[in-house]
Amino acid sequence: MNFRKTTALALGLGLLLTGCAQSADGQQPAPAEQKTARQAEALTTSETWAKAAESGMSAAFGILHNNSGTPIALRKISNAQGDQIQIHEMRGTGEGMTMAQLEGDLVIEPGKDALLAPGGHHLMFMDLQEPLVAAQTARLKLEFADGSSTEVDFPIRNFDGANESYDEHAGDAHAGH
């Protein structure tokens, strides 16, 4: 009887140690270590570009696509130059339309696109620290609600825009992109 208990204990301990060894060396992660895809990994971009500007404000545009089965939430945009970059949206109708900072995250539904375009949602440079020069590239860091991030290139080009106005939450409107 003792032989059977000792053998069973030895086999059980061996299986336990084998399971731990697989988790420790990364061969087979433990269930607690398995994670769903990060939001940044679910994002693909296309047709990205930024408006050339010497100073002041400018904007970046493109298509952001969610390849996952769950919503992703774009929370923050930054760059190496330290520009303040906000997500902007259209507010109002007709002649009274203005652009203002989006309150909260830009949520991209599963399998859908978020279109960043002149006259619609866009990424707004509030006070350029350095000029955005045509034929160069602006690299922006997109940060998501889950803490993940990715860097996206926005080729810079000349664009006259539609002379939109911008609501800066203090009633101070600015003309032009």
Side-chain angles (χ1 to χ4, degrees), residues 19-40:
C20 290
Q22 286 178 340
S23 293
D25 69 7
Q27 296 293 326
Q28 181 179 351
E33 295 171 1
Q34 294 173 344
K35 295 182 179 179
T36 58
R38 305 281 290 178
Q39 290 183 12

Side-chain angles (χ1 to χ4, degrees), residues 45 48-50 60 76-83 85 123 125 128 130-133 136-143 149-156:
T45 61
T48 58
W49 64 281
K76 181 180 176 185
I77 300 91
S78 60
N79 65 4
Q81 292 73 30
D83 292 321
I85 305 170
L123 307 180
F125 294 84
L128 290 171
E130 296 178 16
L132 293 176
V133 179
Q136 292 184 358
T137 300
R139 177 165 277 197
L140 302 182
K141 181 178 180 181
L142 281 55
E143 299 177 49
S149 65
T150 188
E151 291 189 346
V152 177
D153 287 337
F154 288 78
I156 301 167

Side-chain angles (χ1 to χ4, degrees), residues 1-11:
M1 192 72 102
N2 279 343
F3 176 76
R4 285 186 188 169
K5 286 183 184 179
T6 303
T7 303
L9 182 59
L11 286 174

Side-chain angles (χ1 to χ4, degrees), residues 37-104:
R38 305 281 290 178
Q39 290 183 12
E41 295 168 0
L43 181 78
T44 54
T45 61
S46 60
E47 301 178 36
T48 58
W49 64 281
K51 181 189 176 297
E54 287 294 315
S55 61
M57 295 190 294
S58 189
F61 311 100
I63 299 171
L64 309 179
H65 181 76
N66 179 354
N67 290 305
S68 76
T70 58
I72 60 176
L74 178 59
R75 177 157 291 167
K76 181 180 176 185
I77 300 91
S78 60
N79 65 4
Q81 292 73 30
D83 292 321
Q84 179 186 2
I85 305 170
Q86 301 174 349
I87 304 169
H88 275 211
E89 66 178 340
M90 293 293 296
R91 291 189 183 162
T93 58
E95 292 292 319
M97 291 186 86
T98 59
M99 304 246 185
Q101 184 173 6
L102 180 69
E103 294 179 19

